[in-house]
Structures are given as C-alpha cells and as structure tokens.
Amino acid sequence: MTGAVAVAAADGWRVRGGAGGVDAELDDLEAFADALRGCGLRVGSVVAALGRLAVDPALPLAAPLAPAAALRTAAALAALAAPGGALLLAARIEATGLALGAAARTYRAADAAAGAAVDSVRAAAGELLVVAGATAAAAAAGTIFLGLGVAGGAAVAGGLPVLPLLPALASAGSRSSLGELVGVLVRAAGTAGQEVLAAHPELLDLAVLGTSRLLADPGAPVGRVDPRVATGLLLALGRSTGRLRDGRAAAVQPLVPPPAGSALAPVPSGLRGLLAGSVAVSHQPVGGAAGDACGPGAAARVRVLQVDGRHGRAWVVQVPGTACWSPVAGTSPVDLTSDAALAAGQRSVLAASVTSALGEAMGAAHAAPGEPVLLVGHSLGGMVAAGLAADPGFRRRFAVRAVVTAGSPVAGDPVPDRIPVLSLEHRTDPVPRLDGRANPARAGWTTVTADPSSPGPARDPAVRPGRPGDAHAGEVYLGTAGRMDASSDPRVRAALDPLTPFEATDPARVVVRDYAVRRLP
Amino acid sequence: MIVDPQYLRRMARQASSHAEDLRQEARRLRAGAGVRWQSLAADGFRGRLAALAGSADGAADRADVLAGALRREADDVEAELARLAALARAAEQLAEHAVVDLGNGLTGGAAALGAILSDGLSDLPSRAGR
C-alpha cells in the first residue's frame, strides 16, 4: 500500500492534489502488535508486584511506629491502585496490541482479496464503501467493521475484537433516524462485494480506526450514529438497493430571502463569505406540513447570489448539505438519497433543482449568456457543485468559472481542467475520503487539507478529540476558509484568485434569490 | 514482632525497580510510533501509544512516590526504634540508680534503726530496776 505525497505548508495545512491513502508495512505492524502484547504482559507483571507490596505484612507492623509515614505510603499505594491507574494500563496496552494486530490482518486480508478480485471490481461510486460488516475480508480479520460513527458496544472475545455490527447499528438506529438503514445494510452486505472494499484500502482505514476506537474504550455505551458519518454508510448502498430511489424534481419555488449581509445571507466576500452562504442555507430548510425540515412537504433552500464583481455581474450558487438522514426518500432532496445518487454518478433531484434555480434567477435578472457562475457547496452541496461542473449539459447552459467544495467526496467528478476547483478537506474528516480516491492533482484543482484537530494554527476547539465527525461541520470549514483568506501562502493565494470575480465590490448591491426545491415521488 | 527498617528499604528498592521497568515499557511504547504506517487510523494509533506511554510514565512516577514513602517510613521506623531503644536504656539506667538508691537507703535506715534499738535496749535494765 502506498500513499500520495503531500506538501506541508507553513500555515498548518497541506496543499496537494488529493486526499491521502494508506501506507503500511504489515510485517512491522504485526511484529509490533506482538511486542505490544508482550509489553502489556510485562506491565501487568510489574503492576502485580506493586500490588503485592500493598499487602506486605511489614506495613501494618510499621504503621504504629511511623504513623505519619505509613499514611503517606498508604496514599502512594492507593494512587497506584486508583481507577484508571496502573491496574488498567496493562489491559489497555494489550488491547492496543490486539487492535493493531486486527488492523494488520484487516489490511492483509484486503490485500489478498484485492489480488483475487481486481478484475471484478466495479467503479460505481455507490458501491465504494462497505464499512458495514459481513464481508469476507472482515471475517478473515476476525473483526466486524464499523465506521467511525458507531461508538461502543464492543466485546473482546477469544482475544479478538468482535463487534456484532448489526445489533449495534440497530441499537444506535433506535435512537436516530437510521433504524431503517439497518435493513438496507443487511441486504446490501450480500451484494456489495469484498472486492470493493479490497479495491479501496483507504476505506479499510476508516474501519480500522473504528475498530481501534472501540477497543480504546470497550466500555463505552452504544452511541448514536453520527449522521455525518452515516453519509459514508450510505455510500455503501448506492445503486445496490432500490430503497434510495430518487424521484423527480418539482418546480422550484422562489422564497422571500433574508436580507443580504445578514447572518442568514452573508456577503460573498473572501472564501469564507462565499462558503458561508452554503452553510447558512443548510440551516434554513423550508418546513413541511408538520413544520419539520424533513417531513412530508419539506423542501431544501438553494441560494443564488447576483453579484457586481470586479469584472462585472457574476453569479454564485450556494448549495446546502445533507440535512435529512432517512434512507427513504422524502420531499426534501438534501438527504441520503441524493448522497447515494450523486455518489453513484447519477443526476439527482437536487442537482436538477439547482439547475432550475440558477436558470430562474438568471432569467429574472435578464442575465446575458456567458455571465460567470461559481458553484459552492459543503458536503452534499459540494458534491452537487462538482457534479454540475462536470456535466456537459450544465456547462453548455451556464458559464461555470469556478467550483468550491468543502468536506465533499468529489474526486470522481470529471470537472474539465479549465474550470478551477478548490476543495477544502480536514485531515480527520472522513467524508471527503469516502470516494476512496485522491482528488486530481493538476494545476486547476487545488485541495487544501487542514488539521483542525491538532495543535497548530488550524486548531479549532469545536473539533473534539476522538470525534472525527466534528471535523466535517460546516462551521469548522468556515474557520479554515477564514484562515485561508488571511494566508500569504502563494499556493493558497493562487487557489483563491479565480474566486475574486465573484466577490461583491458593493455589498449593498448583492441580490439574494432563494428557492425551495422539492422532490416528487 | 518488630519490623526491620532494612526490610522496608528493600521494599522501596523494589518499588524503584518497578518504576524503572515501567519507564522502560514507556520507552518501548514510544518507539512503536516509528512503525511504518501512515493513515488516519495510524494517527489515532500513535496518539494512543503516546497516551499509553504517558500513563506508563505516570505509573512509574507513582511507583517512585511509593518508593520514597517507603524510604521515609523506614527512616521513621528506624528513628522510632532508636528512640525506643534510648528510652529503654534510660529506663534501665534509672532502674539501676533506683536500686542503688534503695540499697543505700535501706543500709542507712537499718543503721539508724539499729542505733535506736541499741539505745532502747540499753535503757531497759535501769527501767526494770526501778
């Protein structure tokens, strides 16, 4: 396994042509896994010896003679035996050894499967991710995979980590909207092949990380599936199930937009300002009959900004990210069904609706053909943006001049070289890696990878340790965008340069047009 | 049964030795971060190794604290035993002095008693003749 080379930047991010891969020396991993288990045994032996000191009969004899010192000794012994102290250390080291061994076996099994199945690999993006277990590779590894989002529920049996995936998912799903996903996963597991997993070892890494996390905290309660990570689970399904069947796009309906320049409609100034609108519309869905964002009749909000830019009038399309997590398609198209359709390379209702919205907006303004268009989106919105830029039909109708994506798996979108793409990714955000391949490394496609989870200039306290899903949040990407705006890194400046025609020269003249977009059955 | 301070010092040396063992394991854990593995999971793994090594060092520190406490206890026990021994010696000397004094006292008393008795007895014939 080899990984791509990244170029480190002084500002704390990496600028490169695509997301990372997996590079591991499996023999070394297995050897160190054994070493870790030995280490755990030795530490256990030492801790036991220290424990024997605590019950030495000399201590009670000495106590009457030196009561104050005896109290200090007792306190020192208590500190050694404290919960979470040395007594658990040995177990934790051994568990880490087990996890590492499982990781090595997982990689090795996948390598073997890849060799056997390479000819039958299908490239459909919708079949990319088989984080859900029950694959032969997983069984061979003695490990049931689970993605990043499901925490806890692990047991250690027979020296190997075993996670009963489906009950855990079911348990998690009972507290989220993902219960139905379990049934879909069960069916998908039989059709999505191990060859897919084997062909995309980067995805194994996510599974390995999930396993490691579980082992790190085997007592953790079964947690809620992180909806953002559920996007990855969904990609496992893709076209392999009819459950996630996209419908037809309804006619877009103009909405009364919030005032330009308000928090709900930020002025397109700088990368942060351009991206902020995409995050903002994600938080402004149009409620359905029951007033909720995902129920019957609910709609998503797509925004088109008319901007007087440096070179004349320009258009900025801001596409929302996923908000609805049911695998059953509803009327709001910002849902898992759109995720799956886009991941599978299909046109989605959402993409069609964005096309209609832009057409409506430009028509209302009597825009001239060839006025420049910038497509911006976070997560699902970025997938839509890149997908539209890659669509020849869309490009024939609109003059796409740039694309910005944040936290989106877009490597598979064949955006022409002449259209600059700026992709923001966070090192610990699993979502942009879910397509299992690196973004194209070429002059016109810049991928900036920041690490908001580690100490450094890109650190964001909103990203909690051990919670990779946090790094996917739109607000965290806005922080990265703001730092990029302030950066003097010439590569970053070069990546931002194509966006300047879309920045408002006069914020008061920005026209906001919002549209409700719905899916019809 | 009285505890031997040297025994407590041996316990302290054992605790120090265990502390060094734990530090050695911490070094081994940290060395594992150099294993060739680059990925998101590897980053988490290295973070875990660092945490485990830190825990091992922490346990070693606590074992050192225990060793220090045992040494202090040995010192205190030794001092207490010395103080008790000194007390015992003092008591012994006091007892010896008391015996001597008592002996001297008894001797003087007996002499005085003898003199009284002698005087008294010498008076008896004259009193009897009256």
Side-chain angles (χ1 to χ4, degrees):
Chain A
M1 296 178 180
T2 56
V5 176
V7 179
D11 287 341
W13 46 58
R14 290 168 181 266
V15 183
R16 54 178 302 189
V22 174
D23 182 357
E25 179 53 60
L26 300 183
D27 288 343
D28 288 354
L29 289 191
E30 288 172 337
F32 189 63
D34 289 340
L36 272 177
R37 289 193 285 273
C39 178
L41 291 174
R42 288 192 298 275
V43 169
S45 174
V46 169
V47 171
L50 286 166
R52 284 195 293 276
L53 291 180
V55 295
D56 194 294
L59 294 181
L61 290 174
L65 296 172
L71 282 176
R72 284 192 292 270
T73 301
L77 286 166
L80 275 167
L87 292 176
L88 283 179
L89 178 60
R92 285 179 173 148
I93 293 172
E94 285 199 66
T96 303
L98 288 171
L100 183 61
R105 287 191 297 276
T106 301
Y107 287 137
R108 199 177 287 287
D111 274 353
V118 66
D119 291 338
S120 61
V121 171
R122 287 170 292 174
E127 294 177 332
L128 283 183
L129 194 67
V130 193
V131 190
T135 67
T143 304
I144 300 297
F145 293 149
L146 194 61
L148 297 167
V150 182
V156 176
L160 283 174
V162 177
L163 180 74
L165 167 76
L166 295 178
L169 249 185
S171 175
S174 67
R175 286 194 283 151
S176 72
S177 62
L178 293 170
E180 292 175 271
L181 191 57
V182 176
V184 181
L185 281 170
V186 171
R187 288 195 295 277
T191 56
Q194 73 187 59
E195 67 274 15
V196 177
L197 190 64
H200 297 280
E202 303 90 348
L203 304 177
L204 278 174
D205 190 42
L206 297 178
V208 166
L209 180 60
T211 305
S212 303
R213 285 187 61 217
L214 293 168
L215 269 176
D217 191 8
V222 172
R224 174 190 168 92
V225 174
D226 185 335
R228 295 169 297 202
V229 178
T231 303
L233 293 174
L234 176 82
L235 297 180
L237 312 177
R239 291 180 295 194
S240 64
T241 168
R243 190 67 173 275
L244 298 142
R245 187 172 290 128
D246 216 354
R248 298 178 292 119
V252 298
Q253 294 179 323
L255 297 169
V256 176
S262 67
L264 296 177
V267 168
S269 173
L271 176 62
R272 181 187 172 96
L274 289 165
L275 183 60
S278 175
V279 175
V281 291
S282 298
H283 298 318
Q284 302 170 65
V286 181
D292 64 303
C294 301
R301 181 185 297 259
V302 170
R303 177 165 295 158
V304 180
L305 300 178
Q306 177 185 326
V307 176
D308 283 341
R310 186 179 301 175
H311 306 304
R313 188 159 63 179
W315 300 86
V316 180
V317 182
Q318 295 171 322
V319 189
T322 308
C324 303
W325 303 101
S326 170
V328 178
T331 55
S332 174
V334 282
D335 64 356
L336 294 180
T337 298
S338 290
D339 281 319
L342 287 161
Q346 299 172 335
R347 285 298 302 270
S348 67
V349 163
L350 182 58
S353 300
V354 170
T355 304
S356 298
L358 179 58
E360 289 271 339
M362 293 181 74
H366 305 292
E371 290 187 3
V373 172
L374 165 66
L375 301 167
V376 185
H378 165 245
S379 192
L380 169 63
M383 295 168 74
V384 171
L388 289 172
D391 179 359
F394 185 85
R395 293 199 306 270
R396 278 194 294 273
R397 187 173 172 193
F398 303 106
V400 181
R401 293 291 179 263
V403 177
V404 174
T405 71
S408 306
V410 292
D413 291 300
V415 181
D417 287 355
R418 59 185 163 78
I419 298 178
V421 180
L422 172 57
S423 293
L424 277 61
E425 297 183 354
H426 288 152
R427 192 180 63 81
T428 55
D429 178 2
V431 176
R433 305 177 69 194
L434 291 173
D435 49 9
R437 68 183 95 169
N439 289 344
R442 65 182 197 223
W445 194 318
T446 305
T447 300
V448 174
T449 304
D451 186 2
S453 62
S454 298
R459 174 86 178 101
D460 189 325
V463 180
R464 295 163 291 181
R467 298 289 295 270
D470 287 354
H472 185 61
E475 287 73 13
V476 178
Y477 274 104
L478 290 183
T480 297
R483 282 186 289 276
M484 288 176 64
D485 284 329
S487 173
S488 58
D489 185 312
R491 291 166 300 177
V492 173
R493 300 312 316 169
L496 297 179
D497 192 53
L499 307 181
T500 54
F502 300 95
E503 297 186 51
T505 54
D506 181 0
R509 290 174 58 82
V510 173
V511 179
V512 182
R513 291 185 174 89
D514 281 3
Y515 297 91
V517 298
R518 287 186 179 83
R519 176 192 290 122
L520 295 178
Chain B
M1 181 182 247
I2 293 178
V3 68
D4 179 1
Q6 294 309 317
Y7 183 82
L8 291 175
R9 290 197 175 93
R10 279 198 298 276
M11 290 175 69
R13 284 194 294 275
Q14 287 173 10
S16 290
S17 173
H18 294 327
E20 181 49 39
D21 290 343
L22 288 168
R23 289 203 173 86
Q24 174 67 22
E25 298 305 332
R27 285 191 287 273
R28 288 194 176 104
L29 288 168
R30 289 197 174 90
V35 69
R36 184 182 154 192
W37 183 19
Q38 292 178 354
S39 75
L40 197 60
D43 293 346
F45 166 76
R46 288 191 174 86
R48 181 111 51 84
L49 277 188
L52 290 171
S55 296
D57 277 336
D61 291 344
R62 288 190 289 276
D64 273 339
V65 169
L66 173 64
L70 285 167
R71 277 192 289 271
R72 285 283 304 273
E73 190 168 352
D75 291 345
D76 285 6
V77 166
E78 194 169 58
E80 183 66 9
L81 289 177
R83 191 179 70 81
L84 290 175
L87 277 176
R89 280 195 300 276
E92 189 178 352
Q93 288 170 358
L94 188 64
E96 285 174 359
H97 289 148
V99 168
V100 170
D101 290 346
L102 180 60
N104 291 338
L106 287 174
T107 305
L113 182 60
I116 293 169
L117 289 173
S118 176
D119 290 347
L121 289 173
S122 63
D123 287 346
L124 283 176
S126 57
R127 290 178 187 171
R130 290 179 195 166

